[in-house]
Amino acid sequence: RVAMEASELWVGFVGAGRMAGGLVRGLLQAGKVPASNILASAPSDKNLDAWRELGCRTTHCNLEVVHRSTLVFLATKPHILPGVLEEIRPAVGSHHIVVSLVAGVTIQTLQRLLPPWTKVLRIMPNLPCVVQAGAMVFSRGSNAGDEEAALLKSLLSSCGLCEEVPESYIDIHTGLSGSGVAYVYLFAEALAEGAVKMGMPGALASRIAAQTLLGAAKMLLETGEHPAKLRGDVCTPGGTTIYALHQLEKGALRATVMDAVEAATNRACDMAKD
Amino acid sequence: MSVGFIGAGQLAFALARGFTAAGVLAAHKITASSPDTDLPTVSGLRKMGVNFTVSNKDTVKSSDVLFLAVKPPIIPFILEEVGPDIEARHIVVSCAAGVTISSIEKKLSAFCPTPKVIRCMTNTPVIVREGATVYATGTHADVEDGKLLEQLMASVGFCTEVEEDLIDAVTGLSGSGPAYAFTALDALADGGVKMGLPRRLAVRLGAQALLGAAKMLLESEQHPGQLKDNVCSPGGATIHALHFLESGGFRSLLINAVEASCIRTRELQHLADQEKISPAAIKKTLLDKVKLESPSLSVASASKVSLFTNKSKKN
């Protein structure tokens, strides 16, 4: 049995793009794993420079990552993954924990392309992992047990919210939070635009819009209150907020947002089938 | 205590039915009057054991609490007619949408120096003792007078005191509210019928669903949003249905409705203040009866009885 102490853990990343970078920053920030214990591979140096600056080791050889790591994150683009799995398959042992960040690739597919004893987990992070305010969900494959799940959760909680879910929730998470981040950016942009229309300079409006979203989200998370209640708390009778909310309701904002989550989730499902 | 209703229409009937069912008032302690004896509600009132008369003056004389249960444009005529009979002991309760306390007090002050006026807004479910009532007390109505009315109205549902300037909003919400509910129930029943339910059953189930939901909300500390969530299983039937409601702008429609009703109430009040309600809007028979009762009103002047003037205007 391999020691599960995070500080003794050798962590590898196959693929060193934005998502992987976000996760590793979170890990390092939390001080869970020393940078020298982290090895990342990528075809070019383009991404790897940033990793070296963090103190991580880098290589162009995927097999090396597998040989030198216990916990291996797969962070390639979806169409690259099958080829990478072919390549590393011979080196994957029963001591490895393979965690895939690859969008749309199911546990079933991963398990099919890896040796039958492999402990596989699948994780769907979102972009704000980069600033340690991410939302991640993960699911276990057949050989991954409570220890592996607990390890992953404990390591990645440094990047934000990290919850284990049934695999069927992963596409929904994409629609809600993976893509959801973009909905929020759109909303922030629109808020600021409204302010600009009313006479506020754009840069200031954007900062305030962002802070408003941050503050509201923080209150939601920290009070645990139902959003409808928090909304009601802001609405003075006959005041500005209720007038504005009426406009939002007229625009069927709620339904539109539900449509968006649905569309992204369905698209994730469709893409996974390809 | 005896209660009188000027007007014997839906409102008088609903309140009388509610009060008697609640046992706060015996039917024979209630008097209702209307010049129009053909109203279906008149026979209903009679069957209840309520004293019915065509004389508004008789109603005033035999009542302690006097409800003005006529349509808003009629109010000025009524006040002209019964004004002389109003005494300091009377509590005059106006249920007319958009008619202000000050307009009533002004009118009555010609006859009685300190008329006790209370303005109230109730709704039709008082008939089944689930009414929603608010009231605001006038200048000369004491706290006890308000409490007396509150006790009466609390016997037929929820009743609370409010500032007068909120009453138009209440009209939009709970005054008109039952109509929104009936519309929703009709449509829900249609939905049930479309999916195969017999009409009667669909109506019964729809009504019970709304009744139950309302009761849950009133008895719960929770926000309606939370109660809604509690019904929505992930990926289930309800959330699919709710999505349709949201797409249709269900919420905004309801907000619009309450707003429209409130605004219209204010508009009507405004029109009344400016004496823009034409007597043509009032049934001729009513006008004739009023003229019979109040010979001081000349034919010409009956065309313009305002809430603000105490003397009939001459054309």
Side-chain angles (χ1 to χ4, degrees), chain A residues 7-249:
Chain A
S7 54
E8 293 173 31
L9 199 56
W10 292 87
V11 179
F13 285 83
V14 177
R18 211 174 28 213
M19 274 323 318
L23 286 190
V24 81
R25 274 179 180 77
L27 285 176
L28 293 173
Q29 276 272 24
K32 299 265 178 168
V33 180
S36 50
N37 285 17
I38 300 176
L39 176 63
S41 66
S44 75
D45 271 331
K46 187 169 55 117
N47 290 325
L48 292 176
D49 288 335
W51 288 69
R52 278 194 293 274
E53 270 162 49
L54 291 171
C56 303
R57 296 167 196 257
T58 62
T59 173
H60 293 300
C61 176
N62 296 333
L63 269 170
E64 191 187 338
V65 171
V66 178
H67 279 131
R68 309 244 320 246
S69 312
T70 318
L71 177 60
V72 179
F73 285 97
L74 302 175
T76 70
K77 293 249 184 312
H79 64 277
I80 309 273
L81 188 67
V84 167
L85 290 178
E86 273 262 346
E87 187 195 337
I88 65 172
R89 206 192 136 100
V92 175
S94 54
H95 65 287
H96 279 112
I97 304 168
V98 177
V99 181
S100 166
L101 274 68
V102 183
V105 179
T106 60
I107 289 175
Q108 189 184 47
T109 304
L110 292 163
Q111 288 180 163
R112 186 166 46 87
L113 296 175
L114 287 167
W117 50 76
T118 318
K119 299 192 239 273
V120 172
L121 299 108
R122 177 185 174 193
I123 188 165
M124 170 56 61
N126 73 349
L127 193 54
C129 290
V130 170
V131 294
Q132 285 78 58
M136 298 156 276
V137 297
F138 70 91
S139 307
R140 316 180 189 182
S142 350
N143 299 322
D146 292 342
E147 280 166 30
E148 286 75 40
L151 174 69
L152 193 61
K153 191 164 176 175
S154 116
L155 280 179
L156 293 180
S157 299
S158 59
C159 300
L161 179 71
C162 184
E163 298 284 341
E164 183 176 358
V165 298
E167 195 179 10
S168 59
Y169 292 6
I170 290 192
D171 289 333
I172 306 172
H173 177 75
T174 304
L176 165 61
S177 183
S179 298
V181 173
Y183 320 157
V184 177
Y185 292 146
L186 189 150
F187 191 66
E189 196 182 347
L191 278 175
E193 217 145 38
V196 168
K197 178 179 175 181
M198 303 317 292
M200 185 181 277
L204 178 62
S206 294
R207 282 212 315 285
I208 295 178
Q211 184 68 20
T212 305
L213 289 167
L214 176 66
K218 200 165 182 196
M219 280 192 72
L220 253 178
L221 288 169
E222 287 183 10
T223 64
E225 303 244 52
H226 195 283
K229 168 149 193 319
L230 289 172
R231 171 173 51 87
D233 289 346
V234 187
C235 291
T236 327
T240 62
T241 311
I242 190 70
Y243 268 71
L245 283 175
H246 191 183
Q247 292 303 321
L248 293 177
E249 298 288 4

Side-chain angles (χ1 to χ4, degrees), chain A residues 169 226-232 242-243 245-246 249-252 254-256 258-259 262, chain B residues 223-229 234 239-240 242-243 246-249 251-253 255-256 259:
Chain A
Y169 292 6
H226 195 283
K229 168 149 193 319
L230 289 172
R231 171 173 51 87
I242 190 70
Y243 268 71
L245 283 175
H246 191 183
E249 298 288 4
K250 280 182 189 171
R254 291 173 186 260
T256 310
M258 287 177 78
D259 289 339
E262 190 173 337
Chain B
H223 193 284
Q226 180 64 63
L227 291 171
K228 160 183 64 76
D229 284 358
I239 189 70
H240 270 70
L242 277 180
H243 192 179
E246 297 290 3
S247 297
R251 291 174 185 256
S252 76
L253 285 180
I255 299 172
N256 293 349
E259 187 177 42

Side-chain angles (χ1 to χ4, degrees), chain B residues 255-308:
Chain B
I255 299 172
N256 293 349
V258 174
E259 187 177 42
S261 173
C262 176
I263 289 177
R264 180 61 180 162
T265 304
R266 290 184 190 144
E267 217 168 87
L268 288 171
Q269 176 195 316
H270 193 59
L271 288 173
D273 290 350
Q274 295 180 344
E275 304 156 42
K276 288 225 168 60
I277 303 276
S278 140
I282 302 159
K283 282 195 294 200
K284 183 112 191 338
T285 48
L286 236 49
L287 258 182
D288 287 343
K289 302 278 182 180
V290 169
K291 278 182 264 163
L292 274 174
E293 298 276 332
S294 310
S296 57
L297 286 175
S298 72
V299 172
S301 64
S303 66
K304 256 208 173 151
V305 180
S306 93
L307 281 168
F308 288 109

Side-chain angles (χ1 to χ4, degrees), chain B residues 92-162:
Chain B
V92 177
V93 183
S94 163
C95 304
V99 178
T100 60
I101 290 173
S102 74
S103 65
I104 299 174
E105 283 178 348
K106 252 196 182 105
K107 197 77 175 162
L108 289 178
S109 60
F111 307 105
C112 170
T114 56
K116 290 182 203 258
V117 176
I118 302 182
R119 177 180 175 187
C120 106
M121 169 52 53
T122 183
N123 66 356
T124 50
V126 289
I127 203 173
V128 292
R129 300 172 58 203
E130 289 290 0
T133 309
V134 301
Y135 69 94
T137 47
T139 323
H140 312 289
D142 305 320
V143 171
E144 300 107 51
D145 302 322
K147 288 296 168 201
L148 182 66
L149 179 70
E150 189 170 321
Q151 263 184 319
L152 256 182
M153 300 309 293
S155 73
V156 292
F158 172 74
C159 180
T160 191
E161 186 179 8
V162 295

Side-chain angles (χ1 to χ4, degrees), chain B residues 176-200:
Chain B
S176 299
Y180 316 153
F182 292 137
T183 307
L185 286 167
D186 202 9
L188 284 170
D190 277 344
V193 168
K194 179 175 177 181
M195 303 318 291
L197 297 177
R199 171 70 57 177
R200 278 186 67 127

